[in-house]
Amino acid sequence: MSKGISREASAFVSCGVSGTTYTLYTCPANCTARVPLVFITNVGGTATVNFQIYKASLVDTFHIVGGKNMTTAEYIQLSDPTGMIIETGDRLEIVATGGTVHVDALCTVIETFKPVG
């Protein structure tokens, strides 16, 4: 039996339009990903932030952090060495609302690609 090939990666997104869903990371085909860190910061103004996961296999969105009011320089750090596991087509998403939105986010992932065939 062949083992999967792993790689580490980081993804970044800057959210600048209120109410828009921004994709922070999408798990690629033939892959599972462990997400040990998500970091979200409000760069300026006041914003309400939602962090959610779209599960492709269920065609549904799950809200992990919902309606968090953040002032300038406030941040959210979700970290766990074991991380959450996501699968092919799953997406980490950020939605920020407010008058003048500038929310940045990053995540680290460890992707394991499954052999095909």
Side-chain angles (χ1 to χ4, degrees):
M1 174 182 266
S2 298
K3 286 187 162 190
I5 297 172
S6 295
R7 73 175 177 187
E8 297 177 355
S10 293
F12 304 85
V13 70
S14 186
C15 310
V17 178
S18 181
T20 299
T21 300
Y22 288 87
T23 299
L24 173 59
Y25 173 78
T26 302
C27 188
N30 300 314
C31 183
T32 58
R34 184 164 47 93
V35 184
L37 173 69
V38 175
F39 194 87
I40 304 165
T41 186
N42 181 18
V43 178
T46 300
T48 300
V49 174
N50 292 290
F51 170 63
Q52 56 201 33
I53 299 176
Y54 171 78
K55 289 292 292 174
S57 63
L58 301 174
V59 191
D60 203 357
T61 300
F62 296 87
H63 302 275
I64 307 306
V65 175
K68 171 67 175 149
N69 294 318
M70 299 177 71
T71 58
T72 299
E74 190 173 355
Y75 65 90
I76 301 167
Q77 179 177 331
L78 304 171
S79 60
D80 182 343
T82 57
M84 61 187 121
I85 306 299
I86 60 175
E87 300 167 326
T88 297
D90 293 351
R91 297 187 306 260
L92 305 180
E93 300 174 332
I94 309 289
V95 180
T97 56
T100 304
V101 174
H102 184 176
V103 172
D104 290 343
L106 72 88
C107 69
T108 58
V109 296
I110 301 166
E111 299 171 325
T112 302
F113 292 88
K114 303 174 231 172
V116 178

